[in-house]
Amino acid sequence: MWYLCVFYHRLLDYRKPEFESLADLFGAFHEDPTTTSHTLEWKLPHHHHPDSPFHFVNLPNEDIARNIANRIFICLVVFTRRLSFYGNFFCIYAGILVKGLYEIWGEGSSYEELKEAINSYPDDRKLPYLTSDSTFRIIVDSFGKAISFKDQTARIQGMSYIPFKGRVELRNPEHKFWLIETDDYEANNGLPPVVDKTIFFGREVGAADRKLLPTYQLKSRTYLGPTAMDAEVAFLMANQAQAMPGKLVYDPFVGTGSILVAAAHFGAMTMGADIDIRVVRDGRGPDCNVWSNFKQYGLQMPVSLLRADNNLPPWRPGLKEVFDAIICDPPYGVRAGGRKSGGRKLLKGVVGPYIVPDDKRTGHIPSTAAYCLAECVHDLLDLAAKMLVMGGRLVYFYPVVRDSDSLDVDFPKHPCFKLVANCEQMLSYRYSRILLTMVKIAPYTDEIAEAARIQHLEFKENHVKWMEEGNLHAAVFSPDFPAIDDRDNKCSTKDPKKKYRGKYV
């Protein structure tokens, strides 16, 4: 059945991938997760721009639609592999960018058209929600303009042709109906112009609640670092990874633990690692460290926090398929540069390997050397290919220098993975970062490892110019680096009237 999905008008590239990830989680795709494209059927209302917050989506049944929108269901988890029992509990899945899902009874460009459409909607779909023993409420909403309380009342009274027989209940009605109105997309609603305004009327199937975001906002976080992930983006990453109770989520660049906090909120067991032992062990004291962030929100503590190097992982030989998801933000030299173990002299062979004496191990900070992004991504993909279970997800950010209005990027590849989503977050007119979501579709073997190594060499050669010669850094910090708006771009940053926050058009 087709439902109207109303998105929050932000992070536009992330909306459909997050929705489809949750749809997969709730069983919208019944096929083998390693072989399907995992995409839903979408369509736009008439005359709407692709970045419109209104989209129609085809879902198998109303239960899936309600679970995606409400994000709450009861589950029983017996995780035998880790010999622990969690019992019955509520799991809350934040469809962070989904405002609500609605069964549309009618739509039109005027209230006359809307009335005709509602009267034409099948009675067998309407009558079960209009009975005398039910309670209901009509809510007036709008996009791109504000509607006064007086006008809202007038619009509700104008819906009297619908044969409601139940009792009005404003606080906790059994059924909620929404009258959603858009303007004609002039300059102030954040979208390019389209032809007509649209009015929707429908029954609420499920609605989101974004109250968790203020709770987790960074300004109230106990322990923060310069690269702490924004709470909203961290929850989006956790949804892309399908974090849920019974799953083990790993972050190899854990930092202050912002991403794992989001995964733990969804009930997942978490585990992290960082090359800087001062971050994972010390923090800023006994009451201000990574553990404090979990304690602050009453979340399950991480299984472990390791001092570990992504370039030299600590796992014993033969250990495979441990994690259900790996979520991370690799260092790419904008706010923090990548480091690997060894130090310059050791890696160049000037000095040989050494053992730290027992009396100097306390407080010892191992030496490190620069770690380029190409090598970091290769090691991350190799780690994920080994350590993820089949069907497990790797979710990570990848930086891109923008040199044109369109984004044409050769993303990192690996024979074990299929790329299922890439979502761009435009940080400036010079560069952006892409959230890549990859699903493991093949087991890790020595042959695949060799094929991945060859792919990495080709990838590194094609991207060495900007990844290793400092062009990414220049794109962020150099005032002389050419920006898109200097190359005949119609959407110049110098235009104070520019409202559109989506893709370049």
Side-chain angles (χ1 to χ4, degrees):
M1 182 174 176
W2 288 95
Y3 298 90
L4 177 68
C5 178
V6 181
F7 290 108
Y8 287 99
H9 192 51
R10 52 182 294 105
L11 294 171
L12 307 183
D13 225 22
Y14 289 67
R15 301 180 303 181
K16 287 183 182 178
E18 184 205 16
F19 190 99
E20 293 184 349
S21 176
L22 292 176
D24 179 31
L25 185 64
F26 289 114
F29 308 107
H30 300 291
E31 299 87 353
D32 182 352
T34 65
T35 58
T36 67
S37 60
H38 278 63
T39 57
L40 296 170
E41 188 178 0
W42 298 85
K43 65 181 181 181
L44 280 168
H46 293 300
H47 308 303
H48 278 236
H49 186 271
D51 285 340
S52 166
F54 303 98
H55 284 73
F56 286 105
V57 59
N58 195 359
L59 292 172
N61 56 64
E62 188 169 306
D63 288 338
I64 291 178
R66 185 177 296 107
N67 282 335
I68 293 173
N70 292 346
R71 309 169 313 283
I72 301 177
F73 69 100
I74 301 177
C75 65
L76 178 66
V77 178
V78 182
F79 202 51
T80 55
R81 184 167 48 167
R82 290 159 181 99
L83 300 179
S84 58
F85 179 72
Y86 288 85
N88 292 308
F89 50 88
F90 282 97
C91 309
I92 302 178
Y93 290 85
I96 299 299
L97 299 178
V98 178
K99 188 174 184 179
L101 280 169
Y102 310 92
E103 177 195 356
I104 294 301
W105 288 11
E107 63 175 296
S109 58
S110 66
Y111 278 92
E112 291 75 17
E113 288 186 12
L114 178 66
K115 179 178 179 179
E116 183 179 348
I118 293 175
N119 289 334
S120 301
Y121 195 69
D123 287 342
D124 61 330
R125 297 291 308 172
K126 294 187 295 187
L127 294 180
Y129 307 99
L130 305 176
T131 58
S132 59
D133 59 346
S134 64
T135 59
F136 72 96
R137 177 189 179 189
I138 298 178
I139 304 168
V140 179
D141 195 10
S142 61
F143 175 75
K145 64 178 182 181
I147 302 177
S148 67
F149 180 76
K150 180 180 178 180
D151 290 338
Q152 290 184 39
T153 303
R155 283 164 168 76
I156 293 174
Q157 292 174 347
M159 308 301 293
S160 58
Y161 56 86
I162 302 177
F164 290 106
K165 298 179 181 179
R167 178 172 53 87
V168 174
E169 173 63 57
L170 299 182
R171 290 191 175 182
N172 189 27
E174 187 177 350
H175 307 298
K176 292 182 181 179
F177 298 90
W178 287 73
L179 181 65
I180 306 174
E181 186 175 328
T182 71
D183 67 0
D184 54 358
Y185 285 178
E186 295 178 353
N188 297 320
N189 71 351
L191 284 175
V194 294
V195 179
D196 295 323
K197 71 175 183 180
T198 311
I199 307 167
F200 301 99
F201 181 82
R203 177 179 62 88
E204 177 188 299
V205 175
D209 183 358
R210 285 167 59 95
K211 291 181 181 178
L212 67 92
L213 289 180
T215 302
Y216 286 92
Q217 59 188 342
L218 292 184
K219 67 180 182 181
S220 62
R221 193 73 57 86
T222 300
Y223 180 43
L224 279 180
T227 59
M229 183 62 66
D230 173 73
E232 183 178 34
V233 178
F235 279 108
L236 286 170
M237 297 176 75
N239 273 338
Q240 287 292 85
Q242 300 181 342
M244 64 177 292
K247 288 190 175 182
L248 179 60
V249 175
Y250 177 64
D251 182 356
F253 310 99
V254 67
T256 58
S258 296
I259 296 175
L260 293 188
V261 165
H265 170 83
F266 297 146
M269 293 182 291
T270 58
M271 184 173 178
D274 201 283
I275 194 171
D276 191 343
I277 193 171
R278 294 166 294 185
V279 173
V280 295
R281 183 188 64 190
D282 304 327
R284 295 193 176 93
D287 298 320
C288 186
N289 49 44
V290 180
W291 306 96
S292 305
N293 288 339
F294 291 83
K295 187 182 299 182
Q296 176 183 355
Y297 302 114
L299 300 174
Q300 182 182 358
M301 292 293 179
V303 174
S304 176
L305 294 176
L306 307 175
R307 189 278 173 189
D309 181 3
N310 187 58
N311 184 244
L312 295 171
W315 319 111
R316 68 176 185 267
L319 185 64
K320 293 182 180 180
E321 300 190 358
V322 173
F323 305 119
D324 298 284
I326 294 177
I327 319 175
C328 62
D329 183 24
Y332 36 86
V334 176
R335 286 183 293 174
R339 308 294 296 179
K340 62 181 179 180
S341 300
R344 292 190 300 272
K345 292 183 179 180
L346 183 63
L347 294 174
K348 291 180 179 179
V350 177
V351 298
Y354 62 91
I355 298 176
V356 180
D358 292 340
D359 60 329
K360 295 183 178 180
R361 290 191 177 186
T362 302
H364 174 71
I365 307 298
S367 57
T368 60
Y371 191 28
C372 74
L373 179 61
E375 188 178 5
C376 176
V377 170
H378 168 71
D379 293 339
L380 175 63
L381 289 172
D382 187 69
L383 168 71
K386 286 181 182 177
M387 302 299 290
L388 281 177
V389 300
M390 289 296 295
R393 292 195 165 206
L394 169 64
V395 181
Y396 68 101
F397 272 112
Y398 183 76
V400 172
V401 175
R402 298 192 63 94
D403 57 2
S404 66
D405 290 354
S406 62
L407 185 65
D408 183 15
V409 181
D410 183 20
F411 296 120
K413 299 180 178 64
H414 193 284
C416 284
F417 288 99
K418 176 182 66 176
L419 181 67
V420 296
N422 63 88
C423 310
E424 182 184 11
Q425 183 181 8
M426 290 166 39
L427 303 176
S428 74
Y429 278 82
R430 295 177 173 181
Y431 90 108
S432 60
R433 61 182 183 179
I434 314 294
L435 183 65
L436 301 178
T437 303
M438 309 176 82
V439 176
K440 185 176 178 181
I441 60 173
Y444 185 85
T445 63
D446 293 339
E447 293 77 12
I448 280 183
E450 178 61 20
R453 186 187 68 82
I454 296 173
Q455 275 188 346
H456 163 65
L457 294 177
E458 297 174 354
F459 167 79
K460 183 175 180 179
E461 182 180 354
N462 292 334
H463 291 72
V464 68
K465 187 172 184 179
W466 68 269
M467 284 200 298
E468 296 186 16
E469 294 180 4
N471 283 359
L472 177 64
H473 189 276
V476 179
F477 297 107
S478 173
D480 300 325
F481 191 86
I484 293 177
D485 52 315
D486 297 327
R487 294 189 289 274
D488 299 325
N489 180 30
K490 296 180 181 179
C491 297
S492 172
T493 54
K494 299 178 182 179
D495 181 5
K497 297 181 180 180
K498 180 177 180 294
K499 301 288 185 180
Y500 179 52
R501 302 188 296 273
K503 295 287 189 181
Y504 304 114
V505 294

